[in-house]
Amino acid sequence: HVQLVESGGGSVQAEGSLRLSCAAGAFTVNNYCMGWFRQAPGKERERVAQSDFYGSTVYTDSVKGRFTISKDIAKNTLTLQMNSLKPEDTGIYYCAASWNRYSPCAYKFWGQGTQVTVS
């Protein structure tokens, strides 16, 4: 059973920073695709960032240059460093994992989500 647990969400003013973490338990983050998704009120869930087995990263256009996805192998966690936050970054952020090693990544496992609010 793959259990993903996010932490690090909260409320922040525009231009502030937050760092999200996703503890992956028995799932080895470095071996597969992992990603961060978000869902804003009234909108569909969208992929924010993805990191695959080879370390290749993908970002949605709106966060390029501001967000950084990374894998902490020692802690077996996935992180999302979010800088220069904007009100439109507000939403519930989800960590996701796939059995695929590289794109296309079909995400099968999801965390419970953590709220990020930017005002």
Side-chain angles (χ1 to χ4, degrees), residues 16-64:
S17 298
L18 283 173
R19 183 177 180 89
L20 304 183
S21 293
C22 173
F27 188 91
T28 305
V29 301
N30 199 42
N31 287 352
Y32 305 98
C33 282
M34 293 201 71
W36 286 99
F37 289 72
R38 69 184 177 192
Q39 187 164 20
K43 295 187 177 181
E44 294 187 353
R45 187 180 298 186
E46 66 168 343
R47 188 185 66 187
V48 174
Q50 173 179 291
S51 177
D52 71 10
F53 171 73
Y54 297 107
S56 296
T57 56
V58 178
Y59 298 92
T60 192
D61 286 346
S62 63
V63 308
K64 286 180 181 177

Side-chain angles (χ1 to χ4, degrees), residues 64-115:
K64 286 180 181 177
R66 301 188 297 122
F67 290 13
T68 303
I69 187 172
S70 61
K71 295 175 178 178
D72 186 327
I73 300 172
K75 296 181 179 180
N76 199 37
T77 59
L78 180 73
T79 63
L80 184 68
Q81 178 66 44
M82 305 186 293
N83 298 328
S84 302
L85 282 161
K86 303 176 180 181
E88 50 264 42
D89 294 319
T90 294
I92 301 174
Y93 283 69
Y94 299 90
C95 172
S98 166
W99 286 126
N100 302 113
R101 290 180 176 261
Y102 46 84
S103 291
C105 303
Y107 289 95
K108 290 182 64 65
F109 309 104
W110 298 84
Q112 81 287 353
T114 185
Q115 177 70 45

